[in-house]
């Protein structure tokens, strides 16, 4: 069975500071991993995905994530936070049933001026 | 523009009433999904369909029903058997080739009167 744990339901950073959102996974098959962003009252938008190619994945809006098999982690980072980054972020892993995804509980990112 | 549309944006349900949420996509995707989102719980899969005229229960299918008569459409009915329907409902779609990204609609918020 697959599972995803996002450490920290709320993260607050100052504008211009490093953003680090944590995601740990468990998977019985080689994992495909995703980060999605959700702005208030909207659907989810794909930020980036790992599909067994390069372990450092670059996404939209300056975000990137590094796949670390030994740590079963796929943490999301951005060097410098902008006010527009305030949103909820979800990590997800492919299930072994094919195209289904298992989502983490989400992390709400707050950016202080 | 290709994408996924959900309607209505807000829906109110009276006690004992069935309500139907619409999901339409013009991405030519074979697979479609319905998720329920509650605060702090991430997304949970209600139903999914990999092909027309076929669908499968997800993790929380009780109190819900779906149909898939057309490739473009995957309506979700919240029945009176669903005792706690207040949530944000998200529809998604993807191809079935290899492992592909799920694309999400803007969501429908269901409230109980």
């Amino acid at each position: 069975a697959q599972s995803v744990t996002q450490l920290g339901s709320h993260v607050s950073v100052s504008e211009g500071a490093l953003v680090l959102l944590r995601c740990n996974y468990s998977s019985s098959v080689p994992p495909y991993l995703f980060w999605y962003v959700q702005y208030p009252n909207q659907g989810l938008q794909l930020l980036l995905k790992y599909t067994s190619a390069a372990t450092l994945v670059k996404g939209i809006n300056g975000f990137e994530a590094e796949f670390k098999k030994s740590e079963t982690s796929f943490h999301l980072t951005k060097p410098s936070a902008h006010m527009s980054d305030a949103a909820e972020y979800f990590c997800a892993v492919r299930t072994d049933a094919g195209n289904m995804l298992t989502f983490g509980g989400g992390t709400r990112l707050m950016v202080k001026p | 523009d290709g994408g996924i549309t959900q309607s209505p944006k807000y829906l109110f349900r009276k006690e004992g009433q069935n309500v139907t949420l619409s999901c339409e996509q013009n991405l030519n995707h074979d697979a479609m999904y319905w998720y329920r989102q509650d605060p702090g719980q991430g997304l949970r899969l209600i139903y999914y369909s990999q092909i027309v005229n076929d669908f499968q229960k997800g993790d929380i299918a009780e109190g819900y029903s779906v149909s898939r008569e057309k490739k473009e459409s995957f309506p979700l009915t919240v029945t009176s058997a669903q005792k706690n329907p207040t949530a944000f409902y998200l529809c998604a779609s993807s191809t079935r080739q290899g492992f592909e990204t799920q694309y999400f609609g803007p969501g429908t918020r269901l409230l109980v009167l």
Side-chain angles (χ1 to χ4, degrees):
Chain A
Q2 293 68 228
S3 67
V4 177
T5 302
Q6 293 184 238
L7 293 174
S9 58
H10 292 79
V11 170
S12 181
V13 301
S14 297
E15 193 172 19
L18 171 72
V19 175
L20 171 60
L21 305 182
R22 299 179 187 274
C23 172
N24 288 89
Y25 70 90
S26 67
S27 177
S28 55
V29 297
Y32 285 176
L33 295 154
F34 299 77
W35 275 102
Y36 283 88
V37 61
Q38 184 182 36
Y39 298 100
N41 293 311
Q42 295 186 25
L44 275 65
Q45 178 183 5
L46 181 71
L47 273 178
L48 49 81
K49 65 180 180 182
Y50 168 77
T51 57
S52 77
T55 56
L56 182 62
V57 182
K58 294 189 182 299
I60 62 171
N61 301 339
F63 284 93
E64 62 182 36
E66 185 172 9
F67 172 70
K68 292 187 177 181
K69 185 177 179 180
S70 60
E71 298 177 8
T72 61
S73 69
F74 190 56
H75 301 331
L76 182 71
T77 61
K78 182 174 181 178
S80 176
H82 295 167
M83 297 297 291
S84 61
D85 293 327
E88 189 151 22
Y89 293 80
F90 292 94
C91 182
V93 64
R94 177 192 71 166
T95 72
D96 56 12
N99 248 10
M100 258 50 68
L101 295 176
T102 296
F103 284 86
T107 297
R108 185 167 299 278
L109 175 66
M110 294 167 284
V111 182
K112 299 175 293 186
Chain B
D1 286 338
I4 302 175
T5 57
Q6 291 187 241
S7 62
K9 189 173 177 64
Y10 294 94
L11 185 58
F12 298 90
R13 193 190 90 164
K14 296 180 181 178
E15 194 78 30
Q17 186 181 39
N18 293 354
V19 293
T20 298
L21 285 63
S22 170
C23 177
E24 304 274 336
Q25 55 97 2
N26 62 4
L27 299 168
N28 199 32
H29 286 167
D30 286 308
M32 297 186 74
Y33 314 82
W34 273 106
Y35 292 92
R36 171 178 171 141
Q37 184 178 18
D38 296 281
Q41 295 194 41
L43 277 70
R44 293 181 290 168
L45 184 65
I46 306 173
Y47 269 97
Y48 63 97
S49 169
Q50 300 279 36
I51 198 167
V52 174
N53 292 323
D54 185 55
F55 49 83
Q56 307 295 330
K57 292 182 179 180
D59 300 321
I60 56 165
E62 186 174 351
Y64 301 96
S65 66
V66 293
S67 62
R68 188 81 187 280
E69 297 176 1
K70 298 187 300 181
K71 186 175 184 177
E72 303 79 17
S73 178
F74 191 41
L76 173 74
T77 297
V78 183
T79 75
S80 57
Q82 173 49 245
K83 298 306 180 188
N84 184 24
T86 298
F88 192 52
Y89 291 87
L90 288 159
C91 179
S93 70
S94 72
T95 69
R96 290 197 299 148
Q97 296 172 354
F99 182 69
E100 291 293 334
T101 301
Q102 289 186 19
Y103 295 89
F104 285 80
T108 292
R109 188 166 298 281
L110 177 59
L111 301 165
V112 177
L113 293 176

